[in-house]
Amino acid sequence: MTTIVRAKVAHTPRNPFVSDDALEVFEDGAVAFEGGRVVAIGPYRAVQTGHPDGSVLDEREAILLPGFVDCHVHYPQIRVIGAMGLELLDWLRLRSLPEEARLADPGYAASVADQFVRGLAANGTTTALVFGSHFLEAQEALFSAVSRAGLRVASGLVLSDRGLLPSLEVPAGRGFELSRELMERWHGRGLIRYAVTPRFSVSCSDELLSVCGELAGALDGVLMTTHLNETRDEVSLVAELFPWAHDYLETYERYGLVGERSVFAHNVHAGDDELARLAAAGAAVAHCPSSNSFLGSGMFPLRRHVEAGVRVALGTDVGAGTGLSMLGEGLMAYHVQMLEGADGLPLGPAHLLWLATAAGASVLGLADEVGDLTPGKSADFVLVRPAGGSTLSAALEGSGSVADALGALFTLAREDAISEVRVAGEVVYSSPATSGASGAVG
Ligand code: GUN
Ligand code: ZN
């Protein structure tokens, strides 16, 4: 049975950094899906004529976009969002790590996992690469919550064996065993995949990084994610800890951690040679602009990444990031490039939509599955509907085209404007305002 959603529709089936007609929009548009897959997208009349028996959902007040893809977000940090006044290393020591240590309590971890997963769905994020917990049971809690909610998530146990808090550290051998156990239980189960997750070189010995290299090659489709070149102090610390390395990237390269399934968060202070090597390896960078501003980490050199041929997508990096909204993160990316002046890469609505959806799908190896609404892809989408009388609804009234409306959405639409979210055609979130229900997932 075919379902047709009638709405204003926008997606980016092509890359706006290389194509002038990346954005495809349908003012009175529709997406039809069946068996969880998109079967048609286009003007409503054409879609309806092609599927005359389809049941039509009238969402003409809403804008339909592909589900958002968050390429870097920390589940145990949802309760420390907004901890102001600190740069990265102090923020970790004083705010984030003490909170992460609380997830040793499985009951606490389960409630954080539920809040986090609900937050993703409520913000229209259907796919995410999630930085997990240092504790086995807490990581199980995340996978269980994701599985109940029906989201598409890659995640894994975070590994560290030095320099954090003793309770967050495990010796390399134990880290290997625990990761294998989780990987075997969860990788490929439903929409879940495993991501090998050394926290960052600052908190990993050579032996632990080597174990991570082994884990990353253990099963097909496993991802690897970590942090890279986030702040100047962190880069200096890595140089002290790894005197043999010429730069930060080499600490990962030596252990086989830089490849097509690797996603590095930040890379604000990247050297030209590092960019060339990331591009040659097909590795990707998760740009996290709200976090970079919040911690004062620096201005992301997007133009240098794009010119070097490094794949870039967006991450909210909660809890250093300022929220789970990929629309908000898109706006921050736009701000940063504007502030960089001549060094910046000016972004428009098509770039922001691409970075928040299809770029992420590509970075996570899911380009054939999600990221846009081309027929054959999974019906993962979000309906954004402005509340009556809101500033967003005023701005949308003033926008002459769907492309203009997209600019208004990135600027003004947040969690309260997300009315419904679907993964493979199934509702994973519907807002209390729309459904009269609790807005719960799953
Ligand atoms: N580097 C190592 N751990 C973290 C973290 O939790 N957040 C950020 N922003 N950077 C990190
Ligand atoms: Zn991070």
Side-chain angles (χ1 to χ4, degrees), residues 30-354:
V31 170
F33 60 91
E34 192 179 330
R37 302 254 151 215
V38 177
V39 293
I41 179 170
Y44 170 68
R45 287 289 160 218
V47 170
Q48 203 276 329
T49 306
H51 299 273
D53 298 331
S55 88
V56 177
L57 303 177
D58 188 345
E59 293 285 352
R60 272 178 284 180
E61 298 299 304
I63 300 175
L64 186 157
L65 305 173
F68 300 123
V69 181
D70 187 340
C71 288
H72 185 74
V73 55
H74 294 250
Y75 120 67
Q77 296 177 2
I78 187 152
R79 296 187 186 179
V80 290
I81 294 173
M84 292 183 173
L86 300 165
E87 291 191 9
L88 173 66
L89 298 175
D90 285 339
W91 177 83
L92 284 171
R93 185 170 54 84
L94 296 170
R95 304 306 301 269
S96 175
L97 299 180
E99 170 64 14
E100 294 197 35
R102 289 187 192 108
L103 275 75
D105 171 353
Y108 186 82
S111 83
V112 172
D114 283 343
Q115 281 179 335
F116 172 78
V117 170
R118 186 193 179 282
L120 284 183
N123 280 279
T125 296
T126 50
T127 298
L129 175 55
V130 176
F131 230 83
S133 168
H134 290 267
F135 301 106
L136 181 85
E137 282 180 286
Q139 191 55 35
E140 288 276 357
L142 176 76
F143 284 137
S144 301
V146 161
S147 170
R148 283 194 301 277
L151 301 186
R152 207 179 285 280
V153 161
S155 185
L157 188 73
V158 181
L159 297 176
S160 289
D161 63 352
R162 65 172 174 186
L164 290 184
L165 285 176
S167 70
L168 297 178
E169 295 163 9
V170 286
R174 183 80 184 128
F176 181 85
E177 286 165 16
L178 295 173
S179 304
R180 267 314 296 226
E181 190 181 324
L182 280 166
M183 195 185 275
E184 271 154 30
R185 195 149 51 239
W186 290 100
H187 182 61
R189 187 159 149 188
L191 301 176
I192 290 173
R193 288 184 303 158
Y194 200 80
V196 175
T197 312
R199 186 158 195 140
F200 61 161
S201 293
V202 170
S203 67
C204 299
S205 66
D206 287 79
E207 190 190 357
L208 183 59
L209 291 171
S210 165
V211 152
C212 289
E214 241 180 281
L215 286 166
L219 295 178
D220 263 6
V222 165
L223 301 171
M224 193 300 297
T225 191
T226 187
H227 299 90
L228 176 68
N229 289 323
E230 181 174 359
T231 71
R232 291 201 188 282
D233 288 351
E234 173 212 21
V235 174
S236 302
L237 198 47
V238 169
E240 276 172 38
L241 292 167
F242 297 86
W244 52 263
H246 295 95
D247 53 35
Y248 195 158
L249 185 64
E250 196 178 353
T251 64
Y252 298 127
E253 269 170 338
R254 174 176 284 203
Y255 299 106
L257 294 172
V258 185
E260 283 176 4
R261 292 282 172 271
S262 308
V263 181
F264 295 95
H266 304 297
N267 209 28
V268 171
H269 303 284
D272 287 341
D273 202 56
E274 287 176 301
L275 289 175
R277 280 149 45 216
L278 284 167
V285 166
H287 171 34
C288 307
S290 75
S291 163
N292 296 161
S293 305
F294 194 81
L295 298 176
S297 305
M299 305 288 269
F300 181 68
L302 178 61
R303 180 185 288 283
R304 288 174 58 227
H305 279 73
V306 170
E307 287 176 0
V310 180
R311 290 184 298 153
V312 176
L314 281 183
T316 59
D317 196 27
V318 155
T322 56
L324 291 168
S325 171
M326 290 295 289
L327 292 165
E329 209 60 40
L331 180 68
M332 286 298 304
Y334 172 83
H335 283 164
V336 170
Q337 295 311 308
M338 290 301 278
L339 288 168
E340 284 185 18
D343 291 336
L345 191 57
L347 301 175
H351 296 100
L352 301 189
L353 186 59
W354 164 265

Side-chain angles (χ1 to χ4, degrees), residues 11 31-41 51 152 366-380 424-425:
H11 70 155
V31 170
F33 60 91
E34 192 179 330
R37 302 254 151 215
V38 177
V39 293
I41 179 170
H51 299 273
R152 207 179 285 280
L366 295 172
D368 293 338
E369 190 65 12
V370 296
D372 64 57
L373 297 163
T374 307
K377 293 202 180 175
S378 181
D380 292 17

